[in-house]
Amino acid sequence: MGSLAYTSFLSVFATVAIVLLVIIRGPITAERAGITVDSATDAFVFVKPTVFGGIGTMATAYVCHHSAFLVFNSLKRPNN
């Protein structure tokens, strides 16, 4: 495996670890802070029709950010 494979594995592992941490620690921290949700329908009250536009914007920003580093590194070390 190349170094990129190890980096990708580390990235996937870190993502899973963060998701599990939020799932486990989120309710505990919310309870300590006095945040309560009355019913399951109130848990997603922040999701409005505009959330999908926000997700698209974040995805585009991520792709552009990733591409910017690739272009920068290729200009920094040209193969010609």
Side-chain angles (χ1 to χ4, degrees):
M1 277 208 266
S3 62
L4 186 57
Y6 291 119
T7 305
S8 296
F9 174 76
L10 181 63
S11 173
V12 170
F13 177 75
T15 302
V16 171
I18 290 171
V19 168
L20 288 175
L21 187 69
V22 168
I23 289 172
I24 293 169
R25 296 287 297 178
I28 296 169
T29 305
E31 185 179 338
R32 286 184 187 161
I35 300 170
T36 58
V37 177
D38 295 331
S39 67
T41 57
D42 291 339
F44 298 104
V45 73
F46 67 92
V47 178
K48 298 190 177 15
T50 57
V51 75
F52 299 109
I55 292 172
T57 302
M58 289 187 294
T60 302
Y62 174 77
V63 169
C64 291
H65 182 262
H66 179 72
S67 297
F69 278 113
L70 292 174
V71 170
F72 175 76
N73 286 333
S74 69
L75 291 174
K76 193 174 179 181
R77 295 183 308 256
N79 292 333
N80 295 343

